[in-house]
Amino acid sequence: MTDENAPFPRVLILCIAVTGGVMAAVTAQLAYARLGLDLGAAWRDMMGARTGQMRSAFAWWAIALTAFAAGLVIAWIVRLMASAQSSLAAVRWIGGAVLVVALALVGHEAGAPTGLAPGAGVALGLISLTVAGLLSLLGAYFATRR
């Protein structure tokens, strides 16, 4: 039997925040790529103009900041919602449905070609997901400190 009045474990809050932070970073990466700020511009313009490298650096920093802020905010919200478990059940269901619809819309945009070699695209994706996961964990840690 579980106690319904027990607070969420800290590890569960951290896992939720890291997952949400990585999703927010992927969403930001797709949105910035649509604006012309993609992560692979530094590799494509290695010998070319410096503007591509600056745009790529800005995209990296913006995605890192997005992951950190999302991890912090999501951990804070989960911590607040855990204290009022029974009164916010409908809000959680509506929020979950909105999240699924938003991720479906973002996933539809993810199929666009990047212009990089497949290996470079995979490496870039894995590196950005790792950075996003670590920074969202750091943001969640600051939100759940006691």
Side-chain angles (χ1 to χ4, degrees):
M1 295 249 190
T2 60
D3 184 16
E4 291 185 16
N5 295 330
F8 274 17
R10 186 175 184 204
V11 174
L12 180 62
I13 294 173
L14 291 175
C15 289
I16 292 169
V18 167
T19 303
V22 169
M23 285 185 206
V26 168
T27 304
Q29 181 179 356
L30 293 172
Y32 293 140
R34 199 170 165 111
L35 293 173
L37 299 172
D38 60 340
L39 300 177
W43 284 345
R44 279 194 302 270
D45 299 329
M46 192 64 74
M47 298 298 180
R50 296 278 184 218
T51 58
Q53 293 175 355
M54 291 299 293
R55 295 177 113 191
S56 177
F58 178 75
W60 277 103
W61 281 102
I63 290 169
L65 180 65
T66 301
F68 179 79
L72 182 81
V73 169
I74 290 170
W76 181 70
I77 288 172
V78 169
R79 196 168 161 197
L80 285 178
M81 289 185 76
S83 63
Q85 287 183 2
S86 62
S87 64
L88 297 174
V91 173
R92 287 187 206 147
W93 277 102
I94 293 170
V98 168
L99 181 67
V100 167
V101 169
L103 288 175
L105 293 173
V106 168
H108 184 68
E109 295 291 326
T114 61
L116 291 174
V122 168
L124 206 60
L126 289 175
I127 291 169
S128 66
L129 287 177
T130 303
V131 168
L134 290 173
L135 285 172
S136 60
L137 179 65
L138 183 66
Y141 171 76
F142 285 133
T144 60
R145 261 190 322 187
R146 294 173 198 208

